[in-house]
Amino acid sequence: MNYEFILKDIRPSKEEIETVSKTAHSILDFLNKTCREENIPAEAMFVGSFSKKTWLSGKSDIDIFIHFPLDADIDFLKEKGLYLGYKTSDYFNGTPSEHFASHPYLTSEIDGIEVDFVPCYLIKDASELKSAVDRTILHTQYIKSHLKEDQIDEVLLLKKFMDCVKTYGSEYKTGGFAGYLCELLILKYGTFEHALNEAQYWKYGTVIDLEDYNTANMFNDPLITIDPTDMNRNVAAALRTEKMVDFILASRNFMDIVKDDSLSPEEKESKIKKFFNPLEKAHFKERSEDEIKRELLEDFKDRGTQTLVISFDVPDISADSLHPQLNKTVESLTEKINNEEFSVFKSDYWSDEENAAIFLLELNVFRQSKYKIHEGPKVWPKKACDNFKAKWEDAVYPKDEFLVLTKEREFKTAVDYIKHIFTLENIHTIKVGKNITENLCNYRLMEIDEFLNNLDIEEDSKSDLLNFLDDFLNPGQYIKR
Amino acid sequence: MNYEFILKDIRPSKEEIETVSKTAHSILDFLNKTCREENIPAEAMFVGSFSKKTWLSGKSDIDIFIHFPLDADIDFLKEKGLYLGYKTSDYFNGTPSEHFASHPYLTSEIDGIEVDFVPCYLIKDASELKSAVDRTILHTQYIKSHLKEDQIDEVLLLKKFMDCVKTYGSEYKTGGFAGYLCELLILKYGTFEHALNEAQYWKYGTVIDLEDYNTANMFNDPLITIDPTDMNRNVAAALRTEKMVDFILASRNFMDIVKDDSLSPEEKESKIKKFFNPLEKAHFKERSEDEIKRELLEDFKDRGTQTLVISFDVPDISADSLHPQLNKTVESLTEKINNEEFSVFKSDYWSDEENAAIFLLELNVFRQSKYKIHEGPKVWPKKACDNFKAKWEDAVYPKDEFLVLTKEREFKTAVDYIKHIFTLENIHTIKVGKNITENLCNYRLMEIDEFLNNLDIEEDSKSDLLNFLDDFLNPGQYIKR
């Protein structure tokens, strides 16, 4: 296929490239001039998608690494790095904010473009690594020296496709494919289409080893992509099986269209285009927020389940710390509810990462009968039975080969159980993220209709939440169009 | 302990023994005279508890085996056996009825005593066995020659205890201890009390091998009691684990009292006596049938379950054929209902063995949500996924490493499922007893309250049914007093 009909919309225009480049070079020049003038032994350089020319139109950001010699003191590096960032941001009237990766760095919006100022050490290969961000320089160099000019378009197609099928981004929330991984896939498979064609047949544990390091057996991950700049690292280590599977299935769905000879060229282009545009959700098309809520609630009601929402405030921690804690907690809660002989049909969590988080629990079985069978020892060993009898007295009777008793359930509804668990006293019955424990105990518990009808979420997060609920109800919709 | 205070009520009186013996010997004499007069080459003899003097007061029955020489033709034996039975019954104005074990035999009530006339071959040891009933002669001989006079009382105590804790009787319905097995236990352990004392420590697979045949490893049964008259037979083969367990636990409960030194002799006797009398059930004490029903229904309601009754007519087959078929069917039905993601808390069956039978199903989870997850192939093999997708089209999505779809449940309630299954078309979805299949499909399905409030059961079976329901609600009540 010729994908020019897609590329014309996602490839940055000459004007965009000129505008971004102009800003970028002004900033770099200012930084390097400042270093020279103030005798700071550092030099700024471009890394990332701007440097590699692999950014999607409208999604430019400028990553500037300020590298210090390997023998520079780490505190000196941190201090001067931030200083240079702030000074540059001020000079260009930017809006700065501090962030933290392996060490603090500054992000500033300058001329409408997000600019990162990251201090680092200048390393020549992975053996010299001093901090995780230092790799970025090696990655940028590798791609720039290996990606052919005409493969830049292929990277753009793959990134855009990944983005639309929700598999793009290696932050914990997504658990998908990093930009660098997309670039390596193009190096491996040559083109976007060939990458998808091959991805259809990926297995759990598929290996991509561009430099033939033969170190794949060090890893037990769904996808193993040996970092060409470090034979001991799997670039796809953060990729969740679920996202790899989504990409495989999306690739199959896409290739089915590409290979479908019964389609006219126009039909084919129109179907392919859908994979490069945001999903049009039936619930959301020209609907008001109230209409969307109403339709979501109708869908929940139709399922004949009980859907509970546990909402609470989130602590002031990074998104990459928050998400695993939320995930771990809701998974453990789900398991424990099932252990109490209720049945969770589906559960998930959502957070705006700044203010609010919710656990969503959809239950098949949310009410149980009054009694349960409490199993004691096998009937054969008399001593164990004597002890069990001494404890429970006359209530004990044999069932199959066990002594048991019919015991009133402590929790007759899942709601009762949750109320019991979510107290400072009992919260550690479940595996709970350490930073969210306290907030969790100040939860609000509602059924989904009460929650949606009194939606207490920041205005600009509402559509994200409604999207999450729609995804919860309709899994797998992004990977087929 | 001296158990004379029990024995005085269960040991047949001199008068009872004389009355029964007189009738027995008149019958035997008449039979043998008839054989001589009519040149029938057969001779009658006593077997069973009358012959062994091990019958409980008021429970005498006279077992007469009419034995033919080993070379007699089987049809001749059958014909003459029945002929002699009928002739004798008529002579003594008895009320005869035909039965069937390995071959037909006659039972007749004569002077208020049940008399069995069973034709058989006279064998000297197990190697000559021609039909299963022939063993009875060997068993009778063995007990008569090994059981000491003063051990007869011990047998009576054990039989009565077994009867009261509901473990006596080897017919399929009970699955308990045969009379012969009780006698062997006394031979093994010497006395009633010692037998119970030892039974406390029985394990699964306990071996009793009076003649040291060392053939126990031929058997894999909960209790292995090698038949002293046949080293290849386990006398306890029909004993169900459940009944062995009941006997072990009842023995422990009984011995706890016997060994409790804190009790006065009067208290001890009074507690022990309860094990030799019918259980006094709280629900039944001085209650009318309507009051009993009301209390049972209150108990069912309290449990917060849904209790379903499937009632149907029973076919004209023997009790020992009927019970396993009912048992197998209700067990299979229970398993299938659980497979449909409902949850059966407890199930059982009851039958009067002549007219009616019911399956009782008590459900924790009797209603389910609208949808279930239908699991397809693993996502990795493309071909299998293509086939699954071709079948289910757009509904397919990935979950963990599987392709699945959210599918509407065919049965949203357990009642829906049962109605679906109990048709001639679908009944073989479950394992169903072959003689009850047709009757089952003409079932009535009710909840327990509707069933009890419109009880459609023969008058003289009602109390048995109500007892069954009480046992269902209160398991294990017979083994502790």
Side-chain angles (χ1 to χ4, degrees), chain B residues 330-350:
Chain B
V330 76
E331 280 192 356
S332 173
L333 178 63
T334 300
E335 190 189 328
K336 292 284 180 179
I337 291 173
N338 285 332
N339 286 351
E340 290 292 320
E341 296 189 54
F342 305 109
S343 161
V344 177
F345 184 66
K346 188 166 180 170
S347 63
D348 207 345
Y349 74 88
W350 171 88

mmCIF file of all heavy atoms in Angstrom, chain B residues 330-350:
data_model
loop_
_atom_site.group_PDB
_atom_site.id
_atom_site.type_symbol
_atom_site.label_atom_id
_atom_site.label_comp_id
_atom_site.label_asym_id
_atom_site.label_seq_id
_atom_site.Cartn_x
_atom_site.Cartn_y
_atom_site.Cartn_z
ATOM 1 N N VAL B 330 -29.158 -36.696 40.996
ATOM 2 C CA VAL B 330 -29.146 -35.410 41.712
ATOM 3 C C VAL B 330 -27.709 -34.904 41.843
ATOM 4 O O VAL B 330 -27.467 -33.690 41.794
ATOM 5 C CB VAL B 330 -29.854 -35.515 43.085
ATOM 6 C CG1 VAL B 330 -28.999 -36.226 44.132
ATOM 7 C CG2 VAL B 330 -30.262 -34.125 43.575
ATOM 8 N N GLU B 331 -26.738 -35.815 41.932
ATOM 9 C CA GLU B 331 -25.332 -35.373 41.991
ATOM 10 C C GLU B 331 -24.899 -34.745 40.670
ATOM 11 O O GLU B 331 -24.225 -33.720 40.657
ATOM 12 C CB GLU B 331 -24.414 -36.555 42.338
ATOM 13 C CG GLU B 331 -24.421 -36.860 43.825
ATOM 14 C CD GLU B 331 -23.316 -37.825 44.234
ATOM 15 O OE1 GLU B 331 -22.589 -38.329 43.349
ATOM 16 O OE2 GLU B 331 -23.195 -38.081 45.446
ATOM 17 N N SER B 332 -25.297 -35.365 39.585
ATOM 18 C CA SER B 332 -24.938 -34.821 38.281
ATOM 19 C C SER B 332 -25.633 -33.481 38.036
ATOM 20 O O SER B 332 -25.024 -32.530 37.546
ATOM 21 C CB SER B 332 -25.312 -35.832 37.193
ATOM 22 O OG SER B 332 -25.133 -35.271 35.925
ATOM 23 N N LEU B 333 -26.899 -33.410 38.416
ATOM 24 C CA LEU B 333 -27.642 -32.152 38.256
ATOM 25 C C LEU B 333 -26.970 -31.029 39.053
ATOM 26 O O LEU B 333 -26.791 -29.906 38.547
ATOM 27 C CB LEU B 333 -29.094 -32.351 38.718
ATOM 28 C CG LEU B 333 -29.989 -31.113 38.668
ATOM 29 C CD1 LEU B 333 -30.154 -30.617 37.235
ATOM 30 C CD2 LEU B 333 -31.359 -31.410 39.279
ATOM 31 N N THR B 334 -26.579 -31.340 40.264
ATOM 32 C CA THR B 334 -25.904 -30.348 41.121
ATOM 33 C C THR B 334 -24.631 -29.837 40.456
ATOM 34 O O THR B 334 -24.378 -28.628 40.406
ATOM 35 C CB THR B 334 -25.555 -31.001 42.477
ATOM 36 O OG1 THR B 334 -26.771 -31.432 43.099
ATOM 37 C CG2 THR B 334 -24.838 -30.031 43.389
ATOM 38 N N GLU B 335 -23.844 -30.771 39.932
ATOM 39 C CA GLU B 335 -22.589 -30.395 39.282
ATOM 40 C C GLU B 335 -22.851 -29.482 38.082
ATOM 41 O O GLU B 335 -22.171 -28.478 37.887
ATOM 42 C CB GLU B 335 -21.876 -31.673 38.841
ATOM 43 C CG GLU B 335 -20.457 -31.465 38.367
ATOM 44 C CD GLU B 335 -19.880 -32.737 37.740
ATOM 45 O OE1 GLU B 335 -20.244 -33.852 38.178
ATOM 46 O OE2 GLU B 335 -19.102 -32.600 36.788
ATOM 47 N N LYS B 336 -23.854 -29.833 37.303
ATOM 48 C CA LYS B 336 -24.142 -29.045 36.095
ATOM 49 C C LYS B 336 -24.653 -27.651 36.448
ATOM 50 O O LYS B 336 -24.334 -26.674 35.766
ATOM 51 C CB LYS B 336 -25.182 -29.764 35.232
ATOM 52 C CG LYS B 336 -24.674 -31.050 34.612
ATOM 53 C CD LYS B 336 -23.759 -30.776 33.425
ATOM 54 C CE LYS B 336 -23.268 -32.079 32.810
ATOM 55 N NZ LYS B 336 -22.401 -31.848 31.659
ATOM 56 N N ILE B 337 -25.456 -27.559 37.483
ATOM 57 C CA ILE B 337 -25.956 -26.245 37.900
ATOM 58 C C ILE B 337 -24.785 -25.375 38.348
ATOM 59 O O ILE B 337 -24.709 -24.194 38.004
ATOM 60 C CB ILE B 337 -27.006 -26.393 39.027
ATOM 61 C CG1 ILE B 337 -28.284 -27.035 38.482
ATOM 62 C CG2 ILE B 337 -27.337 -25.027 39.633
ATOM 63 C CD1 ILE B 337 -29.318 -27.371 39.543
ATOM 64 N N ASN B 338 -23.852 -25.970 39.087
ATOM 65 C CA ASN B 338 -22.655 -25.215 39.487
ATOM 66 C C ASN B 338 -21.830 -24.785 38.275
ATOM 67 O O ASN B 338 -21.294 -23.681 38.247
ATOM 68 C CB ASN B 338 -21.789 -26.046 40.440
ATOM 69 C CG ASN B 338 -22.379 -26.112 41.839
ATOM 70 O OD1 ASN B 338 -23.086 -25.195 42.279
ATOM 71 N ND2 ASN B 338 -22.120 -27.193 42.543
ATOM 72 N N ASN B 339 -21.750 -25.656 37.277
ATOM 73 C CA ASN B 339 -21.012 -25.304 36.058
ATOM 74 C C ASN B 339 -21.602 -24.094 35.351
ATOM 75 O O ASN B 339 -20.907 -23.379 34.657
ATOM 76 C CB ASN B 339 -21.005 -26.476 35.060
ATOM 77 C CG ASN B 339 -20.064 -27.574 35.500
ATOM 78 O OD1 ASN B 339 -19.295 -27.402 36.440
ATOM 79 N ND2 ASN B 339 -20.142 -28.713 34.835
ATOM 80 N N GLU B 340 -22.901 -23.913 35.514
ATOM 81 C CA GLU B 340 -23.562 -22.759 34.887
ATOM 82 C C GLU B 340 -23.383 -21.484 35.716
ATOM 83 O O GLU B 340 -24.075 -20.495 35.509
ATOM 84 C CB GLU B 340 -25.058 -23.045 34.696
ATOM 85 C CG GLU B 340 -25.377 -24.088 33.638
ATOM 86 C CD GLU B 340 -25.065 -23.620 32.216
ATOM 87 O OE1 GLU B 340 -25.322 -22.447 31.898
ATOM 88 O OE2 GLU B 340 -24.536 -24.439 31.437
ATOM 89 N N GLU B 341 -22.470 -21.542 36.683
ATOM 90 C CA GLU B 341 -22.146 -20.397 37.539
ATOM 91 C C GLU B 341 -23.249 -20.030 38.531
ATOM 92 O O GLU B 341 -23.261 -18.934 39.079
ATOM 93 C CB GLU B 341 -21.716 -19.169 36.717
ATOM 94 C CG GLU B 341 -20.425 -19.422 35.930
ATOM 95 C CD GLU B 341 -19.881 -18.153 35.287
ATOM 96 O OE1 GLU B 341 -19.670 -17.160 35.973
ATOM 97 O OE2 GLU B 341 -19.689 -18.172 34.052
ATOM 98 N N PHE B 342 -24.195 -20.973 38.749
ATOM 99 C CA PHE B 342 -25.024 -20.844 39.941
ATOM 100 C C PHE B 342 -24.271 -21.582 41.040
ATOM 101 O O PHE B 342 -23.243 -22.218 40.784
ATOM 102 C CB PHE B 342 -26.414 -21.444 39.707
ATOM 103 C CG PHE B 342 -27.092 -20.840 38.513
ATOM 104 C CD1 PHE B 342 -27.266 -21.574 37.344
ATOM 105 C CD2 PHE B 342 -27.510 -19.521 38.537
ATOM 106 C CE1 PHE B 342 -27.847 -20.998 36.226
ATOM 107 C CE2 PHE B 342 -28.094 -18.943 37.424
ATOM 108 C CZ PHE B 342 -28.264 -19.692 36.264
ATOM 109 N N SER B 343 -24.781 -21.529 42.266
ATOM 110 C CA SER B 343 -24.064 -22.223 43.333
ATOM 111 C C SER B 343 -25.039 -22.981 44.219
ATOM 112 O O SER B 343 -25.928 -22.393 44.828
ATOM 113 C CB SER B 343 -23.253 -21.193 44.128
ATOM 114 O OG SER B 343 -22.908 -21.713 45.381
ATOM 115 N N VAL B 344 -24.868 -24.303 44.240
ATOM 116 C CA VAL B 344 -25.719 -25.146 45.067
ATOM 117 C C VAL B 344 -25.086 -25.252 46.457
ATOM 118 O O VAL B 344 -23.938 -25.663 46.585
ATOM 119 C CB VAL B 344 -25.868 -26.555 44.447
ATOM 120 C CG1 VAL B 344 -26.690 -27.456 45.355
ATOM 121 C CG2 VAL B 344 -26.514 -26.451 43.067
ATOM 122 N N PHE B 345 -25.822 -24.839 47.460
ATOM 123 C CA PHE B 345 -25.326 -24.910 48.835
ATOM 124 C C PHE B 345 -25.402 -26.351 49.318
ATOM 125 O O PHE B 345 -24.499 -26.843 49.979
ATOM 126 C CB PHE B 345 -26.182 -24.003 49.726
ATOM 127 C CG PHE B 345 -25.722 -23.914 51.155
ATOM 128 C CD1 PHE B 345 -24.517 -23.322 51.475
ATOM 129 C CD2 PHE B 345 -26.504 -24.426 52.182
ATOM 130 C CE1 PHE B 345 -24.096 -23.232 52.793
ATOM 131 C CE2 PHE B 345 -26.086 -24.340 53.507
ATOM 132 C CZ PHE B 345 -24.888 -23.739 53.809
ATOM 133 N N LYS B 346 -26.484 -27.029 48.939
ATOM 134 C CA LYS B 346 -26.691 -28.400 49.397
ATOM 135 C C LYS B 346 -27.775 -29.038 48.533
ATOM 136 O O LYS B 346 -28.722 -28.364 48.134
ATOM 137 C CB LYS B 346 -27.153 -28.352 50.856
ATOM 138 C CG LYS B 346 -27.218 -29.698 51.517
ATOM 139 C CD LYS B 346 -27.343 -29.566 53.020
ATOM 140 C CE LYS B 346 -27.407 -30.967 53.598
ATOM 141 N NZ LYS B 346 -27.289 -30.948 55.053
ATOM 142 N N SER B 347 -27.630 -30.326 48.255
ATOM 143 C CA SER B 347 -28.689 -31.002 47.514
ATOM 144 C C SER B 347 -28.817 -32.432 48.020
ATOM 145 O O SER B 347 -27.870 -32.989 48.574
ATOM 146 C CB SER B 347 -28.394 -30.988 46.010
ATOM 147 O OG SER B 347 -27.211 -31.712 45.730
ATOM 148 N N ASP B 348 -29.990 -33.005 47.835
ATOM 149 C CA ASP B 348 -30.220 -34.381 48.262
ATOM 150 C C ASP B 348 -31.495 -34.878 47.572
ATOM 151 O O ASP B 348 -32.142 -34.116 46.848
ATOM 152 C CB ASP B 348 -30.364 -34.450 49.791
ATOM 153 C CG ASP B 348 -29.955 -35.823 50.349
ATOM 154 O OD1 ASP B 348 -29.832 -36.781 49.555
ATOM 155 O OD2 ASP B 348 -29.767 -35.914 51.569
ATOM 156 N N TYR B 349 -31.797 -36.141 47.781
ATOM 157 C CA TYR B 349 -33.043 -36.674 47.227
ATOM 158 C C TYR B 349 -33.784 -37.424 48.317
ATOM 159 O O TYR B 349 -33.208 -37.813 49.334
ATOM 160 C CB TYR B 349 -32.749 -37.620 46.044
ATOM 161 C CG TYR B 349 -32.187 -38.947 46.487
ATOM 162 C CD1 TYR B 349 -33.023 -40.012 46.818
ATOM 163 C CD2 TYR B 349 -30.812 -39.131 46.624
ATOM 164 C CE1 TYR B 349 -32.508 -41.230 47.265
ATOM 165 C CE2 TYR B 349 -30.293 -40.326 47.069
ATOM 166 C CZ TYR B 349 -31.135 -41.377 47.391
ATOM 167 O OH TYR B 349 -30.629 -42.558 47.841
ATOM 168 N N TRP B 350 -35.085 -37.617 48.078
ATOM 169 C CA TRP B 350 -35.886 -38.434 48.992
ATOM 170 C C TRP B 350 -36.868 -39.232 48.157
ATOM 171 O O TRP B 350 -37.303 -38.783 47.092
ATOM 172 C CB TRP B 350 -36.649 -37.550 49.977
ATOM 173 C CG TRP B 350 -37.652 -38.310 50.812
ATOM 174 C CD1 TRP B 350 -37.412 -38.938 51.996
ATOM 175 C CD2 TRP B 350 -39.043 -38.529 50.519
ATOM 176 N NE1 TRP B 350 -38.552 -39.538 52.461
ATOM 177 C CE2 TRP B 350 -39.575 -39.304 51.571
ATOM 178 C CE3 TRP B 350 -39.882 -38.152 49.471
ATOM 179 C CZ2 TRP B 350 -40.911 -39.706 51.603
ATOM 180 C CZ3 TRP B 350 -41.214 -38.552 49.501
ATOM 181 C CH2 TRP B 350 -41.716 -39.321 50.564
#
